[in-house]
């Protein structure tokens, strides 16, 4: 086990060295992974985005495209500012049995252990009752864009896995469900002028404030109608405005601004129904008022992405499999989203389960423990050994 841990550390070091920030090309890290797997005679397919710069990677150990198991991870990471770190974020640094680097836990640590196990999977692939698939995606951090695309690849290739294990850092505790995420941008177009005479002008910031207040009040209303039976916390769908930009100077009436916001729905709630209430307020109340002063005024809402929620299933083949291969832990749910919602949406039994602690995600000095790398490797070895004797 010591040698394979060292191998996983080396792979993690290589993976961290690629600054595969979300929204940028991931071609270099994908080509590295592809070359590595092909060195063991593993068949690898790339699923390219239309821009030709971002790719999903799919690889299979075994002979069947149906009823297999996906090991899923994303190749992108959130940005890192070097002045906030004690070491260079894109150089893996080992200290006191902790491995520091951007993406170390979210989620290149999982990618590293799957790659470290690739020779083992290949050695025993002829005896696998069910195939093991790697599905590595792009731009999960921006809105699970890669996972939404890879579903069409599955369909075109006749790939029908039975179970997906999304290796986000859960401390090796199974997450059986999570909320969704509808990401939005709203633009407010008004008219400009000198602040000394605002008559007949449409101040875009004023109308952004009105719309944001409406969103805030709708969020409050949702919080008052909690679902007492839901396992999620908070026990209701939420809205949040995260970023706003507009205006040039305090003595200029701003004619344009925009803000980023989101809806995080419970699996049983329809985010588009919530969105329709906001759109109705904008089109029926705010826009007519704006157009009285400036006919070209408008409010534009653009959907950036939708991450489907993952229904909480406390009894499922995916959870049963985890419990057979690992110590039984009380399953939980999450309020953040993952690629898993897309897999579940096409009928794949999905669970989120991987090494590392969530508290280190998206933080300066992000890290994963060597002991957590070892736990992940043991689990994957258990999985391979199980599939040599059992069907899922």
């Amino acid at each position: 086990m010591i040698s394979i841990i060292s191998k996983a550390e080396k792979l993690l070091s290589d993976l961290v060295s690629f600054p595969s920030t979300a929204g940028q090309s991931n071609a270099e890290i994908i080509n590295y992974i592809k070359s590595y797997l092909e060195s063991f005679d593993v068949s690898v397919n790339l699923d390219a985005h239309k821009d030709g710069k971002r790719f999903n990677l799919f690889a299979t150990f075994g002979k069947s495209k149906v009823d297999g198991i996906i090991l899923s991870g994303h190749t992108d990471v959130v940005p890192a500012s070097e002045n906030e770190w004690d070491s260079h974020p894109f150089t893996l640094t080992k200290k006191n049995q902790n491995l520091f680097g951007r993406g170390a836990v979210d989620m290149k640590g999982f990618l590293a252990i799957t790659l470290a196990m690739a020779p083992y999977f290949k050695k025993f692939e002829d005896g696998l009752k069910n195939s093991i698939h790697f599905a590595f995606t792009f731009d999960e951090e921006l809105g699970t864009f890669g996972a939404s695309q890879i579903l069409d690849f599955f369909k075109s290739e006749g790939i029908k896995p039975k179970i997906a294990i999304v290796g986000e850092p859960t401390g090796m505790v199974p997450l059986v469900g999570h909320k969704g995420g509808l990401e939005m941008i709203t633009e407010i177009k008004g008219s400009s002028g000198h602040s000394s005479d605002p008559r007949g002008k449409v101040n875009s910031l004023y109308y952004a404030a009105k719309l944001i207040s409406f969103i805030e009040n709708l969020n409050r209303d949702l919080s008052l109608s909690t679902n007492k039976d839901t396992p999620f916390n908070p026990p209701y769908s939420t809205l949040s405005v995260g970023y706003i930009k507009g205006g040039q100077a305090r003595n200029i009436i701003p004619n344009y601004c925009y803000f980023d916001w989101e809806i995080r729905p419970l699996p049983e709630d329809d985010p588009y129904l919530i969105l329709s209430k906001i759109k109705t307020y904008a089109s029926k109340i705010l826009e007519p008022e704006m157009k009285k002063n400036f006919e070209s005024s408008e409010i534009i809402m653009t959907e950036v992405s939708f991450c489907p929620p993952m229904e909480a299933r406390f009894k499922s083949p995916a959870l049963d499999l985890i419990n057979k291969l690992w110590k039984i832990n009380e399953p939980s749910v999450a309020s953040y989203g993952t690629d898993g919602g897309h897999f579940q949406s096409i009928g794949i039994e999905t669970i989120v389960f991987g090494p590392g602690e969530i508290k280190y995600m998206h933080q300066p000095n992000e890290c994963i423990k060597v002991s957590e790398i070892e736990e992940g490797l043991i689990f994957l070895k258990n999985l391979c050994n199980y599939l040599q004797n059992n069907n899922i």
Side-chain angles (χ1 to χ4, degrees):
M1 180 59 72
I2 293 176
S3 60
I4 196 168
I5 294 173
S6 298
K7 178 65 174 177
E9 287 187 37
K10 174 60 169 63
L11 285 162
L12 181 55
S13 178
D14 290 349
L15 295 174
V16 166
S17 71
F18 295 101
S20 51
T21 306
Q24 306 299 315
S25 172
N26 70 338
E28 288 189 0
I29 189 171
I30 285 292
N31 286 330
Y32 168 87
I33 295 171
K34 181 175 183 290
S35 296
Y36 171 83
L37 290 173
E38 287 177 341
S39 71
F40 300 108
D41 198 28
V42 178
S43 176
V44 178
N45 291 286
L46 299 187
D47 172 34
H49 185 267
K50 61 184 179 181
D51 66 5
K53 298 178 180 179
R54 292 170 289 167
F55 301 86
N56 294 317
L57 180 146
F58 188 83
T60 295
F61 301 85
K63 300 176 181 178
S64 177
K65 293 184 177 182
V66 299
D67 293 336
I69 296 177
I70 292 175
L71 299 177
S72 170
H74 59 83
T75 59
D76 60 305
V77 297
V78 297
S81 177
E82 186 175 351
N83 60 9
E84 296 178 337
W85 285 64
D86 295 335
S87 57
H88 193 285
F90 295 108
T91 299
L92 192 72
T93 302
K94 187 173 183 180
K95 184 178 180 180
N96 298 327
Q97 294 301 298
N98 292 315
L99 302 169
F100 294 89
R102 175 56 84 218
V105 75
D106 182 25
M107 58 182 302
K108 291 178 177 179
F110 182 75
L111 299 184
I113 63 171
T114 60
L115 294 175
M117 288 298 297
Y120 192 82
F121 294 160
K122 185 66 180 178
K123 178 179 178 180
F124 294 104
E125 74 171 340
D126 289 342
L128 296 176
K129 304 290 186 181
N130 302 95
S131 296
I132 297 173
H133 308 289
F134 291 174
F136 299 161
T137 61
F138 65 86
D139 286 1
E140 188 270 353
E141 298 290 2
L142 287 183
T144 63
F145 288 110
S148 66
Q149 176 180 299
I150 206 170
L151 302 186
D152 289 333
F153 173 78
F154 287 176
K155 185 176 181 180
S156 66
E157 296 293 323
I159 298 166
K160 297 180 180 179
K162 185 174 183 180
I163 289 175
I165 301 173
V166 181
E168 295 278 2
T170 67
M172 302 298 279
V173 174
L175 296 184
V176 296
H178 60 65
K179 289 185 177 181
L182 178 59
E183 309 292 330
M184 300 292 301
I185 290 177
T186 293
E187 299 173 89
I188 314 288
K189 296 184 178 181
S191 58
S192 61
H194 197 286
S195 62
S196 64
D197 186 4
R199 292 173 298 179
K201 304 298 190 295
V202 177
N203 187 315
S204 63
L205 291 180
Y206 285 168
Y207 283 93
K210 291 180 181 182
L211 188 52
I212 290 170
S213 291
F214 183 84
I215 293 171
E216 179 186 17
N217 290 333
L218 185 54
N219 181 67
R220 182 199 60 213
D221 292 343
L222 289 170
S223 72
L224 297 176
S225 56
T226 59
N227 182 344
K228 295 180 180 178
D229 296 324
T230 185
F232 292 95
N233 187 27
Y236 51 85
S237 298
T238 62
L239 299 95
S240 178
V241 176
Y243 180 79
I244 185 169
K245 183 178 181 180
Q248 296 172 282
R250 62 176 170 268
N251 60 351
I252 301 175
I253 296 171
N255 67 340
Y256 177 83
C257 79
Y258 74 92
F259 60 91
D260 294 348
W261 59 287
E262 66 174 18
I263 303 170
R264 290 188 181 264
L266 293 171
E268 62 267 27
D269 286 351
D270 182 357
Y272 292 98
L273 180 59
I274 298 172
L275 177 61
S276 70
K277 296 179 181 179
I278 299 167
K279 285 185 171 181
T280 297
Y281 175 71
S283 63
K284 300 298 184 182
I285 304 297
L286 296 184
E287 277 193 329
E289 185 179 309
M290 295 164 68
K291 289 180 181 295
K292 286 180 181 179
N293 285 324
F294 186 65
E295 180 60 32
S296 297
S297 297
E298 61 179 333
I299 298 174
I300 303 169
M301 295 191 191
T302 303
E303 179 180 328
V304 178
S305 66
F306 177 56
C307 172
M310 205 173 96
E311 177 190 346
R313 298 178 182 174
F314 290 91
K315 293 183 179 180
S316 75
L319 180 59
D320 289 343
L321 179 64
I322 297 298
N323 287 337
K324 289 174 183 175
L325 302 177
W326 200 247
K327 55 189 176 184
I328 296 178
N329 290 299
E330 188 69 26
S332 185
V333 296
S335 291
Y336 56 83
T338 75
D339 285 343
H342 291 284
F343 298 137
Q344 192 190 71
S345 73
I346 61 168
I348 302 172
E349 289 291 342
T350 305
I351 199 156
V352 184
F353 178 81
E357 298 180 66
I358 188 174
K359 67 181 181 181
Y360 295 118
M361 293 170 61
H362 300 193
Q363 301 293 322
N365 301 319
E366 176 184 349
C367 70
I368 190 169
K369 296 179 174 63
V370 174
S371 60
E372 293 164 341
I373 292 288
E374 182 177 3
E375 286 182 333
L377 291 167
I378 292 171
F379 171 78
L380 293 180
K381 186 175 182 180
N382 291 346
L383 173 64
C384 186
N385 293 345
Y386 180 83
L387 292 178
Q388 293 175 60
N389 300 296
N390 302 276
N391 284 297
I392 55 172

